[in-house]
Amino acid sequence: MGTQGPDPAYSWGAGPAGRPVVSFAEPDVSGARTSPRTGSRSVAAAACFVLGLGLIGGAVTGSWLTGEAGPEATGNSFGTARTLWHSVPVDDLFPLTVEGTGAGPGGADRTWTRIAVAPDSGCAHAFDPLLYKALAPVGCQRLLRATYTDATQSYVTTVGLLFTKADPAAMSALAARFRDEHLDRRADLMPRPYAAAGTAAATFGDAQRASWTLSVLTDAPVVAYAVSGWADGRTVDAPQPAADAVRSGATTDPAQAGLGNEAQGLADRVERRLRKTVGTATEKPA
């Protein structure tokens, strides 16, 4: 079984020994020159300044890891997140193996193995026309995709990260529209899979899509998604959004097979890795 696309050790800006190249310039905060001050007041002011920086830095990192970003965190993390598609290697965003503790039906554990990586690209032909139109307001900076299979090679799932050109307000507006109009549950707005010859996903085409999830982030210029199907190439007449397929008592074929869990579990864990990577890159040296 071969892996398609770029070598994970060298793609998307890997540095020596495949380590991430994260070189974000520090902003110039020097301002205009002022006359030096002496005495207890200046010492106290300096102490407060250092303490303030520490609190701000902690808030930035903490908010990203918990998914709650304030105004300061949003501004900083947006600039950092926007460059990730070319500043970290594949393995940092789409690892070779993803552990899904409790991610399967009934809380069963899952293990996913990456079998294909798409070259980073634009969004042309990567989405169905209606989804492409729905995402157009935030623009397309870069699209990263990888396809995984489960331990039994019965299922395949493509997970994607669309890095947009939008600011926080535009991302919030799009997230509100997807939420209010339930666009993330419409079968005509499903993401497309990434198939690769010589892998378990070789026959994973549009007609094989069984379940999916899509999340418009509001604290980063990113749309995260996943779409799953059977590895044997069977067609699916009635795909079901993951949010419905994972519900207790769901009886559709995708739900009974756990394909909603496959899509949701992988998307959740890749999104967590994205946040962790951004949080690490946003931290300033002590």
Side-chain angles (χ1 to χ4, degrees), residues 3-6 8 11-12 90 94 114-119 145-147 194 196:
T3 298
Q4 303 296 312
S11 56
W12 303 345
V90 174
F94 301 131
R114 194 184 71 205
I115 57 175
V117 176
R145 295 171 293 169
T147 298
Y194 176 68

Side-chain angles (χ1 to χ4, degrees), residues 185-278:
R185 295 177 179 236
R186 282 177 45 173
D188 57 351
L189 295 175
M190 271 193 299
R192 282 179 172 167
Y194 176 68
T199 73
T203 58
F204 190 22
D206 290 352
Q208 284 70 42
R209 293 175 289 185
S211 191
W212 77 97
T213 183
L214 186 149
S215 177
V216 180
L217 306 188
T218 57
D219 49 4
V222 175
V223 176
Y225 67 85
V227 56
S228 62
W230 281 274
D232 60 9
R234 75 182 71 177
T235 59
V236 180
D237 295 328
Q240 185 177 32
D244 295 335
V246 299
R247 288 180 177 173
S248 177
T251 59
T252 64
D253 289 344
Q256 292 292 303
L259 286 165
N261 299 82
E262 298 291 306
Q264 183 169 288
L266 258 175
D268 286 348
R269 281 152 183 80
V270 168
E271 187 175 323
R272 290 178 200 171
R273 290 189 69 90
L274 172 70
R275 293 181 186 279
K276 182 177 180 180
T277 302
V278 174

Side-chain angles (χ1 to χ4, degrees), residues 20-67:
V21 176
V22 182
S23 56
F24 304 105
E26 296 291 339
D28 181 4
V29 294
S30 58
R33 291 183 177 272
T34 58
S35 299
R37 295 190 178 188
T38 59
S40 59
R41 290 185 179 180
S42 61
V43 172
C48 291
F49 179 72
V50 171
L51 177 60
L53 285 180
L55 293 174
I56 291 172
V60 168
T61 304
S63 63
W64 254 92
L65 294 179
T66 60

Side-chain angles (χ1 to χ4, degrees), residues 59-210:
V60 168
T61 304
S63 63
W64 254 92
L65 294 179
T66 60
E68 300 175 358
E72 299 88 353
T74 299
N76 197 7
S77 62
F78 252 72
T80 301
R82 198 181 302 280
T83 65
L84 283 182
W85 68 267
H86 63 72
S87 60
V88 298
V90 174
D91 289 353
D92 280 25
L93 296 178
F94 301 131
L96 286 168
T97 302
V98 176
E99 296 297 335
T101 304
D109 295 340
R110 281 287 188 267
T111 298
W112 297 287
T113 301
R114 194 184 71 205
I115 57 175
V117 176
D120 61 279
S121 67
C123 294
H125 312 300
F127 298 110
D128 285 348
L130 282 179
L131 180 55
Y132 184 89
K133 183 177 180 180
L135 295 173
V138 294
C140 176
Q141 181 78 17
R142 217 64 177 175
L143 177 63
L144 309 183
R145 295 171 293 169
T147 298
Y148 288 79
T149 188
D150 69 305
T152 66
Q153 297 191 7
S154 299
Y155 314 119
V156 285
T157 303
T158 292
V159 60
L161 294 173
L162 164 60
F163 289 79
T164 76
K165 300 178 181 179
D167 60 13
M171 293 301 295
S172 294
L174 185 66
R177 186 190 174 203
F178 265 73
R179 180 185 64 248
D180 296 344
E181 300 179 22
H182 307 291
L183 300 185
D184 56 342
R185 295 177 179 236
R186 282 177 45 173
D188 57 351
L189 295 175
M190 271 193 299
R192 282 179 172 167
Y194 176 68
T199 73
T203 58
F204 190 22
D206 290 352
Q208 284 70 42
R209 293 175 289 185

